[in-house]
Amino acid sequence: MARYTGPVCRLCRRHGEKLFLKGERCFTPKCAFERRPNPPGPRPARRRKISDRGLQLREKQRARASYGVLEKQFVRYYKEAIRRPGVSGENLVRLLETRLDNIVYRLGFADSRAQARQIVRHGLIAVNGRKMDVPSAHLKEGDTVSFTPRGQRSEFYKIVQDAIKSKNPPSWLTLDLANMSGKVTAPPAVVPGETHLFNENVIIEYYSR
């Protein structure tokens, strides 16, 4: 499975804002963006004005970095978004939000999407009672997410049990603390600035040209 394996803090510095790719570390003074907010690499002699196309590219790259999706897969999401009825930009956000790794992260079972992707690949997560090890699997309304028996025996499960009490899942997910499970109860809400850090309509324009 192809994925980005480089230093994720460089992505935040490149985009000029926190993408919260390292979970709780991003809220501490150890965050690399707090210490070095300038873009990586040598500083340019002068700033160049960014074109409209460049701004569109920046939004697309920010979305890809936030969700850990490479270009080929992101293009598939775009094509599916414009094929579905409704607003294409909102369809794109919902496709990204309903990925299994994102839902595991949103429920508080992981500190970051990268960590969520890892525990899914390691077979610690079950969907509707069956083990699911595909991070990009899309969930629908009514699906439940929980830990597999192997996941419940892991040390990671004990850590999550203590940390999850301070997490607040979004309104379209419900969390059952007693059983350490979550359920998709509605389509993901699309609220720019809250649910995602990019302008989905600008991304649609980028690919539509």
Side-chain angles (χ1 to χ4, degrees), residues 133-152:
D133 59 1
V134 181
S136 61
H138 285 281
L139 273 59
K140 59 184 182 299
E141 191 173 342
D143 286 343
T144 59
V145 178
S146 58
F147 283 85
T148 61
R150 179 190 172 197
Q152 294 173 3

Side-chain angles (χ1 to χ4, degrees), residues 97-100 103-104 107 109 125-130 132 134 136-146 172-176 180-188:
E97 284 288 314
T98 53
R99 283 172 54 101
L100 176 57
I103 289 177
V104 169
L107 286 169
F109 293 163
I125 296 297
V127 176
N128 298 328
R130 300 184 62 179
M132 174 65 72
V134 181
S136 61
H138 285 281
L139 273 59
K140 59 184 182 299
E141 191 173 342
D143 286 343
T144 59
V145 178
S146 58
W172 52 278
L173 297 174
T174 57
L175 178 62
D176 183 352
M180 286 291 288
S181 65
K183 185 176 182 179
V184 182
T185 56

Side-chain angles (χ1 to χ4, degrees), residues 77-95 187 190 200-201 204 208:
Y77 289 156
Y78 160 74
K79 291 180 179 178
E80 177 64 18
I82 62 174
R83 186 188 67 81
R84 293 186 177 187
V87 180
S88 298
E90 294 183 0
N91 290 340
L92 178 62
V93 174
R94 291 192 176 103
L95 285 168
V190 180
E200 63 275 10
N201 297 319
I204 298 297
S208 298

